[in-house]
Amino acid sequence: MADLIQVRGFEEAVRPAVRQRRARLTDPPGQIAQPRPDMTPRSRLGRIARRVPEVMVKITGRTRDSGHLQNHLAYIGRNGKLPLEGPDEERIQSPADVGRLVGDWMAEVEADPRRRKDSAVSLSIVLSMPPGTDPFRMHDASRAFAGQTFGDSHPYVFAFHTDERHPHVHLTVRTLGHDGRKLNPRKADLEEWRQAFAAALRDRGIEAEATPRRTRGVVRKAEQGGLRRIRSRFSHGQGEPPNVDVAAVREALDKARKTPWVEAGRARQADVRRYFAAQALALARSDRGEDRELGAALAAFVKDMPPVRTRGEVISEKIDLREQLEEDGKRIGERLRQR
């Protein structure tokens, strides 16, 4: 395929909001990561323009003692109904086998002279894809991702769940590595895991991408489960409202106040959109059909990007709409009384 007609700004548009140098988990000494053909700018722009599914890799918690670990493994294994898979496709399913695994992990963890009483025993990670993803291929991709990421360094087991709309994997990794090193990932590590999981899916014929929110035109963060529960309790008259909701209402009521982080985010989003628009225009002028096709897809992608609005701005619009409806109602009432 011919080289891409490229304008400046691609790296900034797809760069995650973390410093990759701060990743704790890197390639083993002497190994150099080879560039993948599916990570060229043309390939990534094509997936972005097509809005292929985005992978989710999320740390959901940590276990801190044998009982906690036992309960967690029973939960992800549905109390023995699902097998737990380990390295080399090892399968652990019966309560007795799970108990032996917990005992083996705890024996090594407790033998570590540097261990603190409250330190984590394992890390809980969820790998997820949208509904409709081929479960067999995703299962195989998850197996490959776990082996490539942790197989040489940390013991792990995982369970593949298809009992919800979106297929997902619960991956449990022992924090104490084979060489005594602790697993303590940073945000940059999570970003590398997202890229690795997306690559494993693509290797098995599932279109997948791992881009930051701003690349897709999304400004607001996804809501956490805990936040939804707090909001639900408050709506039923129990407890206090979430702090983020209080801050959003204050922002909506104080329209003159400008927050630096909101303005900075808006500026970053404007830069991303300008890049995609410029790249689409450059490709549209090419004499190659594949370039013009990609340019048209990028132009449509920019056109369909969601508006840049904070939660406070959304609330403010609702307040303005309610006030306008009340005002319209008063005027209609006046006219009816005059008749």
Side-chain angles (χ1 to χ4, degrees):
M1 184 176 290
D3 292 338
L4 174 72
I5 300 174
Q6 193 171 353
V7 301
R8 183 180 299 176
F10 171 76
E11 291 79 8
E12 182 60 26
V14 300
R15 181 182 62 81
V18 295
R19 296 181 180 179
Q20 291 302 100
R21 297 177 186 176
R22 301 192 67 181
R24 293 181 182 272
L25 310 175
T26 58
D27 293 325
Q31 293 189 11
I32 300 175
Q34 298 296 321
R36 292 176 54 99
D38 60 355
M39 289 297 286
T40 63
R42 178 184 288 277
S43 297
R44 296 203 72 186
L45 285 172
R47 290 194 296 271
I48 290 169
R50 295 195 307 274
R51 295 184 182 275
V52 305
E54 292 279 333
V55 303
M56 187 196 80
V57 178
K58 181 179 179 181
I59 295 175
T60 57
R62 293 169 171 80
T63 66
R64 301 191 180 277
D65 55 47
S66 60
H68 193 183
L69 177 60
Q70 182 90 34
N71 292 336
H72 174 70
L73 295 181
Y75 166 74
I76 68 173
R78 296 294 191 257
N79 293 312
K81 294 180 180 179
L82 295 176
L84 304 179
E85 295 187 42
D88 300 322
E89 299 187 29
E90 175 189 9
R91 296 168 74 87
I92 302 167
Q93 189 162 359
S94 71
D97 288 341
V98 172
R100 279 190 288 272
L101 173 70
V102 172
D104 291 343
W105 281 19
M106 290 304 302
E108 293 196 44
V109 168
E110 291 173 348
D112 181 10
R114 300 165 300 172
R115 182 175 186 257
R116 298 193 308 269
K117 185 177 180 180
D118 62 342
S119 62
V121 174
S122 71
L123 190 70
S124 306
I125 304 168
V126 169
L127 315 176
S128 179
M129 282 289 284
T133 303
D134 184 291
F136 177 81
R137 295 183 181 184
M138 180 179 166
H139 192 168
D140 192 47
S142 303
R143 183 184 295 118
F145 165 79
Q148 292 166 3
T149 307
F150 303 110
D152 294 332
S153 59
H154 293 78
Y156 67 86
V157 291
F158 72 90
F160 184 60
H161 289 191
T162 56
D163 54 352
E164 297 182 11
R165 291 183 64 246
H166 59 286
H168 60 282
V169 167
H170 289 273
L171 173 61
T172 301
V173 186
R174 197 182 73 188
T175 54
L176 180 65
H178 298 302
D179 60 358
R181 294 186 180 183
K182 293 293 186 66
L183 180 64
N184 186 21
R186 295 180 174 180
K187 290 183 179 180
D189 295 301
L190 274 173
E191 180 58 32
E192 291 191 0
W193 294 351
R194 288 188 73 222
Q195 295 293 346
F197 182 43
L201 289 164
R202 292 196 297 270
D203 287 342
R204 287 153 181 81
I206 297 179
E207 283 209 300
E209 189 45 88
T211 58
R213 288 190 305 274
R214 67 166 180 261
T215 303
R216 307 187 299 275
V218 179
V219 177
R220 293 161 55 190
K221 293 182 179 180
E223 291 185 350
Q224 302 291 328
L227 175 61
R228 289 194 296 269
R229 289 190 288 272
I230 295 173
R231 187 174 290 145
S232 176
R233 287 197 295 268
F234 176 70
S235 66
H236 289 86
Q238 301 172 2
E240 298 295 324
N243 292 334
V244 293
D245 287 358
V246 174
V249 171
R250 286 175 178 169
E251 177 189 345
L253 295 175
D254 188 4
K255 299 178 182 179
R257 183 170 64 95
K258 294 188 179 296
T259 50
W261 57 89
V262 170
E263 297 306 314
R266 203 183 302 277
R268 283 194 300 269
Q269 187 56 227
D271 289 340
V272 170
R273 293 173 189 239
R274 274 194 294 269
Y275 160 71
F276 282 126
Q279 183 67 75
L281 182 60
L283 290 167
R285 294 172 175 172
S286 172
D287 57 358
R288 297 195 295 263
E290 65 267 26
D291 285 348
R292 294 193 298 273
E293 183 178 346
L294 178 56
L298 281 175
F301 171 77
V302 175
K303 184 178 179 181
D304 292 340
M305 275 185 163
V308 182
R309 296 188 300 174
T310 65
R311 180 169 176 79
E313 290 170 333
V314 172
I315 294 174
S316 179
E317 290 176 5
K318 290 181 180 179
I319 293 174
D320 291 343
L321 177 61
R322 181 174 179 177
E323 291 176 349
Q324 183 63 50
L325 290 174
E326 290 177 353
E327 188 64 30
D328 290 345
K330 290 179 181 179
R331 287 201 298 268
I332 292 173
E334 288 288 341
R335 291 185 180 182
L336 291 175
R337 284 193 293 271
Q338 291 174 0
R339 290 181 178 178

